[in-house]
Amino acid sequence: MKYGILINEGPFTHQASDTAYHFTKAAIEKGHRVMRVFFYHDGVYNANALSEPQSDDRNIVKLWGDLAKEHKIDLVVCVAAGLRRGIKDQVLAEGFRISGLGQLTEIGMAADRLITFGD
Amino acid sequence: MSEEIQTEYETEGVEKKFMFLNRKAPYGTIYALEMLETVLISAAFDQDVTLVFMDDGVYQLKKGCDTKAVNMKNFSATYKALGDYDISRLFVEKESMDARGLTIDDLVEVIFEDEDDDWAEKPAVHVKSRDEIARLMEEQDVIISA
C-alpha cells in the first residue's frame, strides 16, 4: 500500500506527530511505502531546527529527519502555514523541504490512502 | 533504485473524490481558514470536491460573521465564492445544526452553475443527516478533516 501522511499538530502539545511517526515506521517495516509526509497547520513546527527538548525525552524533529533519511521519505512543510508561523529556510531542520499546498493534493491523488493525524 | 528522495508523482488525468470535513468554528482557531486554502487548491487540481460541516464547523457558514472586535481577518466571504471554483456540494449536518439551534436560513447562500443543466444557477448548500453523510464518506477516495 502507498500511503500519504498529513500532520496537523505541532510536536509535544499533541500526540499527533508521535502517532504519525510510529505509524510511518510501522508501515514501512510491514513493507508499505510512505510517499510523503505533509506538515500543515501547527504541524509545520515539527520542522523547527531550533526545537530542543529535554535530554531524557524524545526529539521529535530529529526523529522525523532521521527516519526520512533512512527510508528516503519526502517531508514537506507547507509554505503558507510555515510563513505565518516563522518556519522558513533559516530554521528548517535537516530532512525537510518547504513547498506549496499542491503537494498535499498531489499526494492525495497519487497515494492509495491519505491519513490525517490531528487533534 | 535511485538514492534520491522522490518529490514528484505522476497524477496526470487522476480525478479523485476529496471530502473536506470541517468540524471547528470559523474563528478562534485557524483550522477553518487553512482548510479553505486546501479546498481551493484541490479544486484548482480539478478534483471532485465535497465539503462537509459538522459539530462547531456548521458555524463556518453562518451569515453575518463580524470579526472586527477580535481583529482577525474576515474570510467568511470566501465560502460564498466557492461556487465560482466549480464546488457544488457543501453539506451541513442536520444533527449539528439542531443542537445549535441553526436552520438553513441562518447560513450563507452559495450558488454554482450546473454545467449538466445548461449552466442553471443552483444552491450548493444542503442539509444532510448524519447517516447520509456517513454514506457519502464511504464513497470518498480522500477525506481531509480539521
Side-chain angles (χ1 to χ4, degrees):
Chain A
M1 188 84 85
K2 291 180 288 181
Y3 287 103
I5 305 289
L6 169 62
I7 299 180
N8 286 344
E9 298 295 344
F12 303 107
T13 305
H14 298 267
Q15 192 189 307
S17 184
D18 292 278
T19 310
Y21 173 81
H22 293 304
F23 177 90
T24 300
K25 211 162 171 268
I28 290 168
E29 280 164 10
K30 289 270 186 194
H32 300 291
R33 173 150 185 235
V34 174
M35 301 170 87
R36 178 173 296 151
V37 181
F38 192 85
F39 297 86
Y40 198 45
H41 304 298
D42 274 3
V44 300
Y45 289 123
N46 288 288
N48 187 353
L50 300 178
S51 166
E52 205 174 317
Q54 289 174 316
S55 57
D56 58 351
D57 200 357
R58 72 229 184 274
N59 185 327
I60 299 177
V61 176
K62 189 172 181 306
L63 283 173
W64 274 118
D66 290 348
L67 191 70
K69 195 173 177 190
E70 187 182 349
H71 297 288
K72 309 274 177 270
I73 307 168
D74 189 22
L75 304 182
V76 181
V77 177
C78 173
V79 60
L83 277 177
R84 56 166 71 95
R85 293 170 176 83
I87 301 299
K88 311 199 272 191
D89 284 330
Q90 296 95 308
V91 298
L92 194 70
E94 209 177 314
F96 294 82
R97 67 185 179 95
I98 294 175
S99 190
L101 256 182
Q103 299 276 296
L104 171 61
T105 306
E106 185 189 74
I107 213 61
M109 293 163 74
D112 299 316
R113 295 281 189 280
L114 175 67
I115 312 211
T116 304
F117 292 86
D119 187 29
Chain B
M1 270 287 277
S2 160
E3 284 302 291
E4 293 291 304
I5 292 177
Q6 187 173 352
T7 58
E8 283 175 36
Y9 294 97
E10 179 55 55
T11 52
E12 178 87 32
V14 175
E15 188 186 337
K16 285 193 174 181
K17 287 177 187 290
F18 276 69
M19 177 184 279
F20 296 90
L21 189 55
N22 298 280
R23 307 187 70 160
K24 293 188 167 73
Y27 305 99
T29 68
I30 201 169
Y31 297 100
L33 169 64
E34 290 192 328
M35 183 78 117
L36 258 182
E37 293 174 357
T38 316
V39 167
L40 296 177
I41 290 279
S42 300
F45 275 64
D46 292 328
Q47 300 305 292
D48 184 5
V49 172
T50 301
L51 275 72
V52 167
F53 301 86
M54 57 194 290
D55 302 335
D56 277 350
V58 298
Y59 288 120
Q60 292 182 24
L61 293 182
K62 177 87 173 56
K63 275 180 197 160
C65 286
D66 182 350
T67 61
K68 275 196 209 78
V70 289
N71 192 30
M72 285 182 195
K73 173 171 154 179
N74 189 330
F75 60 90
S76 293
T78 311
Y79 294 104
K80 294 190 71 162
L82 289 177
D84 301 332
Y85 291 86
D86 286 337
I87 294 171
S88 58
R89 290 180 304 274
L90 286 79
F91 297 142
V92 191
E93 194 204 55
K94 184 175 188 306
E95 286 83 347
S96 298
M97 288 178 72
D98 289 348
R100 290 160 182 79
L102 295 172
T103 70
I104 188 125
D105 295 331
D106 296 308
L107 305 182
V108 295
E109 232 187 330
V110 181
I111 301 294
F112 75 101
E113 292 180 352
D114 189 348
E115 62 176 321
D116 299 325
D117 189 10
D118 197 25
W119 305 101
E121 292 192 347
K122 296 182 179 179
V125 179
H126 300 280
V127 178
K128 298 268 182 197
S129 71
R130 188 164 293 176
D131 287 346
E132 287 174 292
I133 286 173
R135 277 195 293 279
L136 280 164
M137 282 181 184
E138 289 290 324
E139 297 170 8
Q140 305 301 314
D141 298 307
V142 179
I143 300 180
I144 294 178
S145 67

